[in-house]
Amino acid sequence: FHDCTKKLDHPCFHPGLVGLDMVIKSIKIKNLKVMYVGDGADEIFIGYDWFTSTSSDANLKQLLDGVSYNSFKLIEPAFKTNVKNVNIKNLNKTLIGLNVEEKLRYINQKIYLSKWLYSRDIIGMRHSIEIRVPYCNTKFLELVNPTKSKFLKDKILLKTITKKYLKKSNFNRKKLGFTIPIRSWLTKKILNKFLEKIDLKNIRYYNYSYINKILNEHYSGKKNHIRFIWTLISFELWKK
């Protein structure tokens, strides 16, 4: 976690980046120089669950919550600030006139996917591995993006194209992401070591009473706040 954070010029916003760093290390040992990844397939061919589970009258914060590792409602109270997020205001202007599906496609490709591509590239370069993303070819995007969402949902178009190349069993499997076992990695003992070094109580921009409440809920098993804790620690590690 700490080692991966040092490689980035931004907080390690998702544990998947640590997983990628570990995979690339194993590739480097085998003396491989190029790695192909499937980034962009879900964003372009509407493969994520949030495309179908989002309400048609959802506001921008709700849309961003759907594609984010953490919720605004959970993160914002952790900070002692009344500063308004200017980026959200500007994004709202950009999305005027678009329906929910169109907004989600924009957010997925322009915000969600972009940060992953940038981070993957940095981690790859640190290990002298070139990471290639065939789905993000400009001409390919220009060809697919004008297609209406109903013809893309659940990767229908992509599945149709690949049927003659893959086995039938590949299309009946449940969607499975690159899951990282952070709950078993970040035990209470390890978390306490991190948190003692950070000393949250004496950092003036944090609402410590709120953070302490979240930590107690997590440790007691009342709620799983591991994503919140990951975000908090990753930010502080990066800041230092």
Side-chain angles (χ1 to χ4, degrees), residues 78-94:
F79 293 91
K80 292 179 180 178
T81 176
N82 293 317
V83 177
K84 291 184 178 180
N85 193 325
V86 179
N87 292 322
I88 289 182
K89 186 178 179 181
N90 292 336
L91 184 57
N92 254 323
K93 290 179 181 178
T94 303

Side-chain angles (χ1 to χ4, degrees), residues 27-86:
I27 287 174
K28 190 175 182 179
I29 292 170
K30 296 179 181 179
N31 205 32
L32 299 174
K33 299 295 181 185
V34 179
M35 178 180 178
Y36 282 88
V37 296
D39 290 284
D42 285 304
E43 290 82 3
I44 298 164
F45 291 100
I46 309 185
Y48 289 123
D49 293 339
W50 55 64
F51 278 108
T52 54
S53 61
T54 305
S55 171
S56 59
D57 59 352
N59 61 39
L60 182 55
K61 275 195 175 183
Q62 289 171 326
L63 294 179
L64 290 171
D65 266 358
V67 304
S68 298
Y69 191 62
N70 269 297
S71 167
F72 278 99
K73 288 181 180 179
L74 197 62
I75 291 293
E76 286 185 336
F79 293 91
K80 292 179 180 178
T81 176
N82 293 317
V83 177
K84 291 184 178 180
N85 193 325
V86 179

